[in-house]
Amino acid sequence: MKKIFLLGTLLLLLLSNTTFAANWQWVISDNKFGWFFDTDAIHYELTQPLYSDKPTVDVTLITFWVKTVITPAGANELVKTSNNRRYRNAAYSMILETVSLRHKTHMIRQATFYDKSGNIIVTGKGGNVNYIIPGSYDDAVFLAVRDYARTHHAQLIRNAYNN
């Protein structure tokens, strides 16, 4: 009986770790925001060449999740810049983003803001491609992701086929 209980507990732990797996790599922070990216789900994009039935890996496009931790001062700034009071209780955001190494641009695919209880405040899809401004927080994330991709190239290729 004791072995069955231990086996069941171990199985539940393994399932919960794979369900909520994320490895957040810190990038940069200040008194308003902290930026992290997930090293478990980061991957190169697949492209479909005209001359082939098989997709190929495009090592110039990287997709990853960004988590931004938001302090009360950051939430106040979001309210002011967006003119949207829904951000006043924002605690963090989860953003799916793709960067182009070739063009130094980024595209937000999806963004969701949460309060401290994990309730969704605002969610939406992106789609606009924007240049990354040198010295900005986006630039810090871009450089961290680029450097991570250089040292974990094989992982990003494997993840491209698993996403």
Side-chain angles (χ1 to χ4, degrees):
M1 182 69 171
K2 194 174 190 178
K3 287 182 183 180
I4 293 172
F5 176 74
L6 288 173
L7 183 62
T9 304
L10 180 61
L11 182 62
L12 285 174
L13 281 173
L14 289 173
L15 288 173
S16 66
N17 284 340
T18 56
T19 304
F20 302 107
N23 187 19
W24 296 108
Q25 174 75 41
W26 175 81
V27 177
I28 192 169
S29 57
D30 61 20
N31 64 337
K32 296 178 183 174
F33 304 99
W35 287 270
F36 304 80
F37 71 93
D38 180 18
T39 61
D40 287 339
I42 188 171
H43 63 278
Y44 293 124
E45 283 296 309
L46 294 176
T47 59
Q48 186 67 46
L50 295 174
Y51 57 85
S52 174
D53 291 338
K54 288 188 173 190
T56 59
V57 175
D58 184 342
V59 297
T60 67
L61 295 174
I62 303 172
T63 297
F64 56 97
W65 283 99
V66 175
K67 182 175 184 175
T68 306
V69 177
I70 304 166
T71 68
N76 288 335
E77 184 174 307
L78 285 172
V79 169
K80 287 177 187 174
T81 59
S82 69
N83 200 25
N84 186 340
R85 292 201 33 83
R86 290 187 292 175
Y87 290 108
R88 71 184 179 279
N89 295 321
Y92 66 97
S93 68
M94 298 289 291
I95 298 172
L96 183 62
E97 183 173 330
T98 299
V99 295
S100 169
L101 300 177
R102 180 180 296 137
H103 303 292
K104 200 168 182 183
T105 58
H106 69 118
M107 178 179 69
I108 294 174
R109 295 176 164 211
Q110 176 185 340
T112 305
F113 289 78
Y114 298 88
D115 65 14
K116 290 177 186 168
S117 300
N119 299 312
I120 294 174
I121 298 171
V122 176
T123 190
K125 299 219 180 266
N128 295 333
V129 176
N130 296 301
Y131 286 102
I132 296 170
I133 300 167
S136 66
Y137 294 112
D138 288 332
D139 190 34
V141 172
F142 174 86
L143 295 172
V145 165
R146 181 201 65 192
D147 293 347
Y148 185 86
R150 285 179 178 166
T151 58
H152 297 85
H153 181 72
Q155 174 198 348
L156 272 71
I157 290 173
R158 278 192 310 273
N159 289 354
Y161 290 108
N162 294 330
N163 281 316

